Amino acid sequence: MVADYATAILSAGSTTLLVALLSLLVATLLGLAAAFAKLSASALLRSIAGMYTFVVRGIPDLVVMLLVFYSLPALLNQWADALGWDIRIEFSPLVAGIATLGVIFGAYMTETFKTALQNIPRGQVEAAIAYGLTRRRMFTHIMLPQLVRLALPGFTNNWLVLAKGTALVSLIGLQDVMFRAKGAAEATAMPFTFYLIAAGFYLALTVVSMLLLTLVARRFDVGVRKVSS
Amino acid sequence: MNWDVIAENLPRYLEGAKLTLILTFASLGISFFLAIPLAFLRNSENAVLRYAVMAYTLVFRGTPLLVQLFLIYFGLAQFGMVRESVLWPWLSSPMVCVIAAFVLNTTAYSTEIFAGGLRHVPVGEIEAARAYGMSSLVQARRILIPAMLTRSLPLYGNEMIMMLHATSLASTVTLLEVTGVARNITLNYYIQFEPYVTAAAIYLTLTFVLVSAFQLVQKRWAGYLESRIG
């Protein structure tokens, strides 16, 4: 019996991973956009990006999730009613979960990418301009390779927090590892056993991620001159 | 819009904010005194102690706080020994479980932050303390701990904010802090928008106040480090 429940819990790992990876994608894109906005010459873009990171990082993840899953559809439905439209908007837990985690960690990624962009030597950007590279080539050929290296420590950290943060989606009904563990805990009289299995899953995810990202970091650090000892 | 419901229930939010702050500062306060000795053990020359502390911080930083909270609040009841022990009245109370989970979690993070700070105390300061003939206890009290704490301030400030936000999880085990109050109001009045927006505004305000206060503290106690970093 324990084995059956354990399999059910661990097989939900694919849902947890799906949520985590798609959120990471959303967060990375949002983070890049907002980082460029924060460093842009336009005061409007700067203040929008500043507002975004200030608000999102000032509210607990759980509350952001409840806002996206319950409050946002409620607001949209009120507007629809006011306009006399006969529609009911509702988000699926999967979409709400990915959107929430993406928006939250996008704000953390913004700070990571912004610092990394600022640490790219100015001379290199100037050289790229002098060579007549288009803005797009300058980004893909000069900035991006260095951005990866400079942002990797922060990126790794954000990913580790995000991977654990996915446990919150169980609270809005998505059938992830945590949700299945709760189900098993309530169906049997063995809550400790099943929450421990869930904990083991997250710990394994953390450790594997740390190892993989260390390898990636080593790959991107090739060619960086170290201080000789 | 139903803002009058919120106005009516403001006293409940106030109570909730009080509990949020109590949970935050109780957890941080207890963990502060646990994390300082653990940070020393984390850097100890004894490999067994070092790895034991490392294993503790890895496990508690590598698993979600929600799982840790559920393990303690729902999980402990699985064992007859725990249910029959004299501690059960405490261990079955959500308040005790929440604080226990928060303390275990934030102590793991604080230990790593302090241990990192300790590794960055300049060797010269330690050598000077030795040259003055300070015993290791005096060295720790007068030199190492203050230097470690000032160097840890920026990261510790982040950890405080994380803790403030983490208290929202207490609502999942029936405690009525800000998020719990908001949840109750949504259930009592069948409105989904206003209660959570109010909760978010309260957290945003608390975060802003805490960050501003912390910046003052940092200027006061770690200001002398600024000129060295630049």
Side-chain angles (χ1 to χ4, degrees), chain B residues 39 43 111-121 148 151-152:
Chain B
N43 287 325
T111 299
E112 286 299 328
I113 292 170
F114 291 162
L118 194 57
R119 279 192 284 273
H120 286 108
V121 177
M148 165 179 103
R151 275 173 182 76
S152 309

Side-chain angles (χ1 to χ4, degrees), chain B:
Chain B
M1 288 279 163
N2 303 293
W3 291 108
D4 39 331
V5 171
I6 302 299
E8 231 170 83
N9 284 292
L10 268 185
R12 286 168 80 186
Y13 275 108
L14 221 65
E15 283 295 304
K18 218 168 84 188
L19 184 57
T20 292
L21 288 176
I22 290 173
L23 289 175
T24 308
F25 287 106
S27 311
L28 285 172
I30 299 169
S31 86
F32 183 78
F33 290 102
L34 294 173
I36 290 175
L38 283 173
F40 278 89
L41 295 182
R42 178 77 179 77
N43 287 325
S44 148
E45 280 170 17
N46 182 331
V48 177
L49 286 175
R50 205 168 59 226
Y51 283 116
V53 176
M54 206 177 102
Y56 158 68
T57 63
L58 178 70
V59 168
F60 280 87
R61 297 190 316 149
T63 54
L65 176 57
L66 189 65
V67 179
Q68 294 161 20
L69 178 60
F70 282 10
L71 265 174
I72 295 176
Y73 182 65
F74 298 114
L76 287 182
Q78 181 175 333
F79 307 107
M81 220 172 68
V82 177
R83 278 201 311 270
E84 280 145 30
S85 77
V86 283
L87 291 173
W88 184 239
W90 281 297
L91 289 176
S92 58
S93 114
M95 185 76 179
V96 172
C97 289
V98 159
I99 290 189
F102 288 175
V103 165
L104 282 170
N105 185 268
T106 189
T107 302
Y109 284 94
S110 306
T111 299
E112 286 299 328
I113 292 170
F114 291 162
L118 194 57
R119 279 192 284 273
H120 286 108
V121 177
V123 188
E125 290 184 19
I126 302 168
E127 284 171 349
R130 259 187 227 152
Y132 270 102
M134 291 185 190
S135 68
S136 24
L137 215 62
V138 176
Q139 257 180 57
R141 186 163 54 83
R142 289 207 189 145
I143 311 295
L144 292 173
I145 293 176
M148 165 179 103
L149 292 180
T150 46
R151 275 173 182 76
S152 309
L153 271 180
L155 284 174
Y156 194 68
N158 281 344
E159 180 54 27
M160 286 176 81
I161 302 298
M162 289 290 169
M163 193 63 246
L164 171 71
H165 290 175
T167 57
S168 65
L169 293 183
S171 65
T172 61
V173 294
T174 73
L175 285 190
L176 290 177
E177 36 64 77
V178 174
T179 311
V181 167
R183 183 149 195 83
N184 262 10
I185 295 175
T186 64
L187 297 174
N188 291 347
Y189 294 87
Y190 301 107
I191 49 171
Q192 304 279 12
F193 180 72
E194 298 83 353
Y196 291 132
V197 171
T198 310
I202 293 175
Y203 283 114
L204 205 56
T205 313
L206 291 179
T207 307
F208 183 72
V209 170
L210 210 58
V211 168
S212 310
F214 206 79
Q215 270 164 357
L216 287 180
V217 168
Q218 204 171 323
K219 204 173 262 174
R220 170 74 182 75
W221 276 297
Y224 76 98
L225 288 171
E226 299 266 311
S227 56
R228 295 193 203 173
I229 293 163

